[in-house]
Amino acid sequence: MSKKSRTIEVDKLSKRLIMNLDACTQCGECLRWCPVFAQDEKRGLTPRYKIKALRDVLSRQFGLRAQLAGDKGVIHQYLGHHAARRAARLVGHKPVTEEEINELAENLYECSTCGQCHIVCPVDIDTVEVWEHVRRSFVDASYGPLENQEVLTTSVKAYDNPWMQPRASRGKWAKRAKKEGVIDKLPLDYPKKKGDVLYFVGCTASYDQNIRRVAYNSAALMNHCGVSYGILGPSEKCCGSVLLRVGDYEFERLAGENLELFNSLGIKTLVSSCSGCFKTIKQDYPRVGKPNFEVLHMVEFLLRLHEEGKLVFKREVPMTVTYHDPCHLGRANHIYDAPRELLSLVPGVKLVEMERIREYSRCCGAGGGLKAGFTEIQAEMSTRRVKEAEKTGATDFVTACPFCYQGLQEGIMRSDSPLAMRDITEIFMMALQEEETEKPAESEGDEGGGEADRVAAREARKAAREAKKAARKAEKTAEAADGDSDDSDKGPDGEDGATANGPDKKTADTA
Amino acid sequence: MNNSLQYLRHLRPAPIALAFVLLLFFGQAWPARAEEKGGGKLWGEKWGPGYVLPDNNFHGASKPFVDASGKECRKCHDDGGYPNGDFFRAEFDTKEILMWGAFAVSAFFFILGVLGKFSIWEIGRKPSFHQRLKGRAMARASLTDVLLGKKILNQSPLRWFIYITISWGFVFLFFAALFLVLMRLVADSPFFLTGPGAHFFDFLCDFLGLVVLAGVAAALVRRYVIRPKYLDSSFEDGAILVSLLLIVLSGFLVEALRIAALPDAPDLRWSFAGYFLSAPFRGLGLSVHWYLWLFHVFLSFGFIMFIPYNKIMHFLAAPLSILATVSEEAHYEERVRHRDVRSIDPVD
């Protein structure tokens, strides 16, 4: 006989979200659009089936029959266990089993929370909210997160970043950027100094040696425009997105601490170049406390600076690019035009659009804990997106989120694509170079421009990948020998080669 | 709250639903009022409608035929196929009791199910809304998304056709039926009993029935003939569509068989679908009509009864869900628009 499940307390969901479940018409539109389902054709992971299963679980736990004849029902309470069991048989009440819940938990976590299902849902079910809150209930009942995702949450709680990196090295990128000549002036050191703008760098751009360029370029652009901005350096903590997305309610603590710190700074604006951090601070923090500043994504901030005449792109950048809308910037925050407008301002840049853009942008799969929990699925998703980008004939693949950058770069390497991955700030820096003493920080392996360079970069990546494969093989052999394969002691600049996708591949996820 | 009483909290829907149904059933079939009116020989006349619906003129609708032929109703309607071979008892007593009985049972389980759903919704934490409710955005969405199904139209015109025909067909049919009950039974209005109002509603109800039929047929074709790749069909999906199809078809046939038993008259042609279908059934008598009527009534009320227990519950939850989400997002989008004002200068 199947073991009975622990109760999934849905009090983490608001009344509106529970009502949302009953609104599902089972039309299957979400099946059509779900980017995860496109790679793993498991019906159970699609919103339609998850909602149906959730409805079933709720009804069997809290429905009238359960209240009457269930384990905590009236009959059990007043007439005892045997009477309740007889009544359950009579009214056809079946308790939820452990297997059912485990299956639902797996399906629930096989999702990048990209929000595509919410966009296409004819009855506007707030799916991302539902998934995040149901995950929380599952975490409460110890059915989540998945093992691989737990590595991330544990790291956030212990190190304040999901990469298991020391707090002290968080702000080192700025000094390094100055040393490399990318920026000529260091950011203000918050909270010791005061200023109007806080640049929230985020974990990925702070620690990942490849993605760090995003921070370099963002800082250089703000310097160029004469913005007096500061960073928190070692005092900066993870925004908590990774906790929130997988349903860990430690998020409230972290968000509360962060918000208290931000509010104490007396800043007017918080700018983030990471779409995940931006979404979390802008949308989710106000549910924890009231911020006394505005939150902007770097593209919005730069557009504002341009409109104030402080940011003018003069140098021609002959480049055909295609832009990938990060889910947290686009679908979650409806910011589609700002990055496109900025790209159109760069002389020489030709923007060619992919088939699926804006609200219908195909997710790269890096968010929502999917990359950590289902690495292979994420890799396939990003490869699919890269293929879509290739079809446009673009030479460069641009995005405005370090984590999408990381995810898509995985796809580029996997599919051996000729595309060059770039963060949007990199393009802007190229357009400023002529009048700048600061030089643009470009992605590793891509020196920009020429086809020959690109071919060389591709070959370098290929070689690095092969080296990595060999290393993995060797690692496996070693594992087999001693059963221990801890690689978490890699430094923030660990010698990962040109293909480094994160300080620690095992924990490669945030949201 | 007392620990043992908290388990009863979720069972509140049961007594509420039961109280409502008892009021409905006994309020309707309360004998005292009919007796006040003097009653009649037939049981139905004695047990006439009570508090909910006042007594009505049973013979009103057939008055033109009675006047034209000069015969008593009984002479034409003494049909052997009826229970006990008694047309009047079946029409005015048995149908009355069965219909109100079926309605009461159906209403009981319907209300129980809906309140049961509400009790699950109630478990949710507060706040449900992180933003202030946005009335204007909700009103706009009520029109575009709820009433006109614009989002569905953008996705698939066929699905939009199915949505509009079935949902609006039933919504209008419901209100038409409600209006007729009020006019004929409560207001006792000759205009709606036998006059032009009756003709208009005869036409309207047949038209709406055909609209629903078209929608159901399209849904069946889409689900079982076109079979889009992403559309999964469960037993529930099929059962719902087949039930709808049978309800509409049996409704038309019940009407056709009734018309077939009546002397041909121009007034009947307003029920154009029933009139058209009645041709092959002329001379058949009313016995088939009786059994088909039973089928139609029990299937219809059975269908209503199961609404809260299957996916049709979305007819109640979906509009609420749309409005709630639109309100939440409208606030946010306005802030996005608002940000273009650039009220704060972050630059030194």
Side-chain angles (χ1 to χ4, degrees):
Chain A
M1 196 181 149
S2 300
K3 199 181 150 197
K4 260 184 226 165
S5 73
R6 294 182 289 278
T7 305
I8 302 297
E9 295 292 352
V10 284
D11 54 0
K12 297 287 177 292
L13 273 79
S14 68
K15 298 178 197 316
R16 178 172 71 91
L17 295 181
I18 300 179
M19 182 187 74
N20 267 189
L21 300 179
D22 282 314
C24 179
T25 64
Q26 304 281 301
C27 69
E29 191 66 25
C30 46
L31 242 88
R32 253 174 89 186
W33 293 91
C34 178
V36 185
F37 180 63
Q39 303 310 323
D40 183 3
E41 293 205 348
K42 198 168 82 181
R43 287 271 199 273
L45 65 85
T46 58
R48 177 197 151 128
Y49 283 89
K50 280 189 287 194
I51 287 179
K52 201 174 180 184
L54 272 170
R55 228 156 47 184
D56 189 43
V57 166
L58 289 192
S59 157
R60 282 156 68 187
Q61 283 189 170
F62 304 106
L64 288 170
R65 283 189 288 191
Q67 294 303 326
L68 190 73
D71 277 352
K72 292 177 183 171
V74 176
I75 295 177
H76 192 276
Q77 181 76 10
Y78 292 104
L79 301 173
H81 177 66
H82 293 292
R85 280 189 67 179
R86 275 198 295 276
R89 271 201 299 275
L90 193 71
V91 297
H93 168 66
K94 283 183 196 159
V96 186
T97 64
E98 190 81 4
E99 291 83 55
E100 285 171 311
I101 291 287
N102 280 329
E103 194 188 337
L104 181 56
E106 172 133 354
N107 291 334
L108 204 58
Y109 281 104
E110 194 171 347
C111 168
S112 62
T113 61
C114 72
Q116 183 67 82
C117 41
H118 170 53
I119 295 290
V120 301
C121 178
V123 293
D124 276 339
I125 296 176
D126 209 342
T127 43
V128 177
E129 283 269 298
V130 171
W131 307 146
E132 284 174 7
H133 286 86
V134 173
R135 282 177 177 191
R136 194 166 278 215
S137 300
F138 273 63
V139 170
D140 265 359
S142 308
Y143 286 107
L146 303 182
E147 209 178 315
N148 290 349
Q149 294 164 339
E150 220 162 347
V151 179
L152 297 175
T153 55
T154 312
S155 170
V156 171
K157 288 173 204 169
Y159 299 93
D160 287 330
N161 69 73
W163 310 117
M164 293 187 180
Q165 297 301 318
R167 289 180 189 88
S169 60
R170 192 166 187 118
K172 279 184 182 170
W173 65 267
K175 281 177 194 158
R176 194 177 293 257
K178 189 158 189 280
K179 200 173 156 192
E180 287 178 22
V182 184
I183 56 172
D184 55 0
K185 191 178 133 195
L186 283 173
L188 294 173
D189 188 8
Y190 288 159
K192 287 178 202 157
K193 300 216 170 138
K194 297 276 177 193
D196 284 342
V197 180
L198 166 67
Y199 173 40
F200 186 85
V201 190
C203 305
T204 313
S206 291
Y207 291 114
D208 189 309
Q209 64 163 7
N210 203 18
I211 312 298
R212 188 176 282 173
R213 305 283 156 171
V214 176
Y216 286 15
N217 290 328
S218 300
L221 282 162
M222 286 195 281
N223 274 349
H224 167 77
C225 299
V227 179
S228 168
Y229 71 98
I231 57 167
L232 282 164
S235 306
E236 185 183 286
K237 290 178 181 173
C238 173
C239 66
S241 172
V242 64
L243 298 178
L244 180 68
R245 310 292 159 226
V246 300
D248 196 315
Y249 50 91
E250 272 280 294
F251 167 74
E252 260 83 17
R253 177 197 55 83
L254 191 57
E257 285 172 11
N258 275 342
L259 201 55
E260 202 179 323
L261 176 64
F262 299 157
N263 282 342
S264 71
L265 295 175
I267 50 164
K268 287 181 180 168
T269 308
L270 183 149
V271 186
S272 174
S273 47
C274 172
S275 300
C277 302
F278 167 67
K279 194 250 176 195
T280 310
I281 298 170
K282 186 176 170 53
Q283 280 188 346
D284 303 313
Y285 276 26
R287 294 171 194 183
V288 178
K290 200 176 173 200
N292 62 7
F293 49 88
E294 67 166 347
V295 185
L296 295 180
H297 188 270
M298 187 54 75
V299 289
E300 294 176 292
F301 190 61
L302 292 178
L303 188 62
R304 179 185 287 188
L305 292 171
H306 165 75
E307 288 182 4
E308 286 164 354
K310 288 173 180 155
L311 183 65
V312 181
F313 304 120
K314 287 181 181 163
R315 188 194 167 207
E316 189 155 333
V317 185
M319 202 180 258
T320 306
V321 303
T322 188
Y323 174 73
H324 168 79
D325 289 285
C327 305
H328 287 156
L329 187 65
R331 274 188 285 269
N333 281 290
H334 309 278
I335 297 169
Y336 304 110
D337 295 324
R340 288 178 170 81
E341 212 177 317
L342 280 170
L343 283 173
S344 72
L345 293 170
V346 180
V349 167
K350 187 184 164 201
L351 175 66
V352 282
E353 295 282 15
M354 285 177 277
E355 192 187 16
R356 279 178 68 169
I357 52 164
R358 301 175 75 94
E359 291 93 337
Y360 298 96
S361 169
R362 190 188 288 279
C363 175
C364 69
L370 187 79
K371 195 174 174 186
F374 300 87
T375 315
E376 193 55 30
I377 300 289
Q378 187 279 321
E380 282 171 24
M381 283 168 74
S382 62
T383 308
R384 179 93 182 249
R385 187 60 170 164
V386 168
K387 294 274 172 219
E388 206 179 323
E390 279 176 10
K391 275 190 206 161
T392 62
T395 54
D396 296 76
F397 199 6
V398 181
T399 191
C401 171
F403 211 66
C404 294
Y405 183 110
Q406 207 179 51
L408 290 168
Q409 201 176 45
E410 179 83 28
I412 287 178
M413 289 189 299
R414 238 176 110 98
S415 59
D416 214 9
S417 168
L419 283 171
M421 192 66 226
R422 293 190 192 280
D423 184 78
I424 197 161
T425 50
E426 199 178 318
I427 309 268
F428 303 149
M429 274 307 288
M430 285 178 189
L432 291 178
Q433 200 181 17
E434 196 176 49
E435 50 172 336
E436 282 295 310
T437 49
E438 293 173 341
K439 64 178 184 188
E442 291 165 357
S443 307
E444 297 254 331
D446 287 317
E447 297 307 318
E451 178 63 21
D453 287 344
R454 230 167 253 130
V455 171
R458 199 156 73 236
E459 273 167 12
R461 282 202 304 267
K462 204 173 174 182
R465 197 162 58 248
E466 271 160 19
K468 204 170 184 182
K469 265 185 197 167
R472 240 184 248 157
K473 212 173 174 183
E475 202 176 274
K476 270 186 188 170
T477 322
E479 245 176 69
D482 61 18
D484 184 13
S485 65
D486 187 13
D487 59 351
S488 62
D489 57 349
K490 250 187 241 173
D493 292 326
E495 294 301 311
D496 260 5
T499 56
N501 256 355
D504 182 356
K505 284 287 281 176
K506 235 170 92 182
T507 59
D509 188 29
T510 186
Chain B
M1 190 186 283
N2 182 311
N3 191 36
S4 60
L5 282 181
Q6 69 174 335
Y7 297 104
L8 291 173
R9 193 167 68 91
H10 299 290
L11 290 177
R12 267 178 305 175
I16 296 171
L18 192 64
F20 181 80
V21 169
L22 289 176
L23 180 78
L24 196 75
F25 186 69
F26 288 104
Q28 171 60 15
W30 197 255
R33 194 180 164 90
E35 278 167 13
E36 273 171 25
K37 292 184 176 181
K41 285 179 185 174
L42 292 166
W43 190 40
E45 287 175 34
K46 237 189 286 177
W47 282 68
Y51 290 131
V52 179
L53 298 175
D55 203 357
N56 73 320
N57 179 359
F58 285 119
H59 306 284
S62 48
K63 197 167 180 296
F65 303 110
V66 176
D67 291 345
S69 62
K71 291 177 185 173
E72 278 183 39
C73 301
R74 193 180 297 269
K75 288 191 177 171
C76 294
H77 292 316
D78 192 13
D79 191 273
Y82 270 58
N84 303 320
D86 189 338
F87 170 85
F88 281 94
R89 183 172 291 273
E91 280 294 320
F92 299 134
D93 292 351
T94 322
K95 263 191 180 179
E96 178 88 358
I97 300 292
L98 284 178
M99 200 184 81
W100 282 102
F103 178 44
V105 172
S106 164
F108 173 75
F109 285 104
F110 178 82
I111 294 166
L112 194 69
V114 171
L115 294 181
K117 284 283 180 200
F118 288 171
S119 79
I120 293 182
W121 297 1
E122 205 187 59
I123 300 168
R125 63 158 171 77
K126 281 179 180 172
S128 272
F129 295 92
H130 299 290
Q131 318 289 355
R132 195 162 40 84
L133 284 179
K134 303 294 282 183
R136 196 179 295 172
M138 286 164 87
R140 203 170 40 237
S142 301
L143 180 71
T144 56
D145 290 358
V146 178
L147 301 184
L148 300 177
K150 205 177 152 196
K151 202 168 181 181
I152 305 177
L153 181 63
N154 288 338
Q155 286 168 350
S156 157
L158 177 60
R159 268 175 58 207
W160 178 81
F161 174 78
I162 294 167
Y163 164 70
I164 288 290
T165 48
I166 297 182
S167 60
W168 281 109
F170 271 116
V171 166
F172 279 118
L173 270 173
F174 174 76
F175 283 109
L178 192 69
F179 185 78
L180 275 183
V181 166
L182 290 174
M183 286 300 112
R184 288 183 177 174
L185 300 183
V186 179
D188 215 0
S189 155
F191 182 79
F192 288 104
L193 275 166
T194 53
H199 297 153
F200 171 72
F201 273 95
D202 283 347
F203 175 83
L204 183 69
C205 290
D206 269 27
F207 172 74
L208 292 172
L210 284 181
V211 166
V212 174
L213 189 63
V216 173
L220 282 164
V221 168
R222 175 171 172 265
R223 193 170 279 278
Y224 298 108
V225 181
I226 301 173
R227 300 170 96 161
K229 198 184 160 200
Y230 58 89
L231 185 66
D232 293 344
S233 297
S234 62
F235 171 76
E236 182 190 346
D237 300 316
I240 288 168
L241 281 180
V242 170
S243 301
L244 285 176
L245 183 74
L246 291 176
I247 286 170
V248 180
L249 285 180
S250 62
F252 277 127
L253 281 173
V254 165
E255 186 184 40
L257 287 161
R258 179 177 57 78
I259 290 172
L262 291 170
D264 196 359
D267 283 359
L268 293 173
R269 293 178 190 183
W270 286 99
S271 304
F272 64 98
Y275 185 81
F276 175 77
L277 278 176
S278 70
F281 304 117
R282 293 234 164 253
L284 190 68
L286 275 166
S287 57
V288 183
H289 161 83
W290 165 254
Y291 292 108
L292 206 58
W293 180 89
L294 288 180
F295 175 75
H296 179 70
V297 165
F298 287 127
L299 188 62
S300 302
F301 284 123
F303 187 84
I304 292 168
M305 184 169 92
F306 282 108
I307 284 177
Y309 307 97
N310 59 46
K311 71 172 193 177
I312 312 178
M313 183 62 192
H314 77 250
F315 97 99
L316 201 72
L320 295 175
S321 164
I322 291 174
L323 297 184
T325 308
V326 163
S327 173
E328 279 285 272
E329 292 191 343
H331 189 97
Y332 178 68
E333 279 170 18
E334 193 168 280
R335 284 188 60 189
V336 170
R337 281 197 295 278
H338 179 69
R339 198 166 46 238
D340 288 343
V341 177
R342 293 163 171 78
S343 54
I344 305 167
D345 181 10
V347 183
D348 268 342

